[in-house]
Amino acid sequence: LAAWMAAFEHAGPDVVIVYPKTRIIDEHGHWVEDFEDGLDLRSDDPVERLCDFARRYRLCSPCFGVIRREALARTPLIAPYVSSDVPLLAELALIGKFWELPERLFSRRVHDESSRQGRTTIAQVARWFDPKASTPIVPVRLTLFLEIHRAIVRSPLPTAVRRRAALAFSTVWFGRRARVLAGKLRRRFTGPTPSHSRLRAG
């Protein structure tokens, strides 16, 4: 944590999140893999940061980094729906930059009983975000898409920038979904490749 805070002290006010690289461990604390979050988002263009986030996010590990309080105060925080950390980080990417530290200082535990990465049903995950929730009626991906657009709309960015962000984000989002679906179809016929990870995005 000291390294994260030291990085914040040297970062400019436009950096809203500092987080380290991630190491995946199992339920016994044993190393599984070194995970690449790839969310070092330091472009000066908020639209580019948003689109880079939409292309790359998987585990949303920056949520476990150090976040500027004033930036968080401009968001709805974690909401009571599945994968609400995705829209939160998307909105923070519009607000400022993400700085990824090169050291692997974050150990993330993933196993069969994990709330999101384990062998859980969508209803179980929904109850993790909200104990009173049941199986979501609206598909999770559609909810995320709509919530990120709401974040764009409420952003104080100029109207022209918000319009560009909405168009660019939609293009990236649907392009990513098309690639995911194509990959699922390919694996259905050929089987998983050795490099295919079971870690879920969002």
Side-chain angles (χ1 to χ4, degrees):
L1 184 58
W4 306 1
M5 296 306 298
F8 244 136
E9 290 177 1
H10 291 90
D14 55 349
V15 174
V16 297
I17 296 181
V18 171
Y19 78 99
K21 283 182 173 290
T22 301
R23 175 186 297 110
I24 303 298
I25 60 175
D26 64 15
E27 62 269 38
H28 304 296
H30 299 147
W31 176 89
V32 175
E33 65 175 287
D34 287 340
F35 185 78
E36 297 299 333
D37 294 286
L39 294 176
D40 188 82
L41 309 178
R42 292 197 236 177
S43 170
D44 291 327
D45 182 356
V47 177
E48 185 174 338
R49 293 195 302 268
L50 173 65
C51 289
D52 284 345
F53 170 77
R55 288 187 191 96
R56 304 173 191 169
Y57 84 86
R58 288 179 65 196
L59 295 184
C60 291
S61 295
C63 278
F64 299 95
V66 180
I67 307 175
R68 291 196 189 277
R69 184 181 185 280
E70 55 269 30
L72 272 177
R74 293 168 57 181
T75 74
L77 305 178
I78 294 291
Y81 59 83
V82 175
S83 295
S84 61
D85 48 352
V86 176
L88 171 62
L89 288 177
E91 187 160 5
L92 287 169
L94 283 171
I95 294 172
K97 301 175 182 179
F98 294 10
W99 186 350
E100 181 185 78
L101 300 179
E103 298 85 7
R104 295 193 183 276
L105 303 175
F106 178 45
S107 295
R108 182 158 183 168
R109 197 180 302 275
V110 174
H111 53 86
D112 287 347
E113 301 302 318
S114 298
S115 59
R116 189 69 178 100
Q117 298 301 320
R119 301 183 187 281
T120 49
T121 66
I122 196 65
Q124 290 172 318
V125 176
R127 286 194 293 273
W128 186 85
F129 279 90
D130 180 2
K132 299 178 181 179
S134 57
T135 302
I137 298 174
V138 179
V140 172
R141 298 299 174 189
L142 177 57
T143 297
L144 300 185
F145 177 78
L146 294 175
E147 290 298 329
I148 293 173
H149 269 279
R150 289 190 182 103
I152 294 170
V153 169
R154 65 174 168 260
S155 168
L157 293 168
T159 300
V161 177
R162 283 186 277 123
R163 287 175 179 166
R164 183 165 62 90
L167 177 60
F169 165 71
S170 296
T171 301
V172 169
W173 182 269
F174 287 113
R176 173 174 173 156
R177 297 314 304 160
R179 290 192 298 274
V180 169
L181 291 174
K184 288 181 178 179
L185 286 173
R186 183 172 60 252
R187 289 191 295 275
R188 178 177 296 179
F189 292 105
T190 64
T193 61
S195 62
H196 177 63
S197 173
R198 68 180 180 89
L199 297 177
R200 303 176 188 170

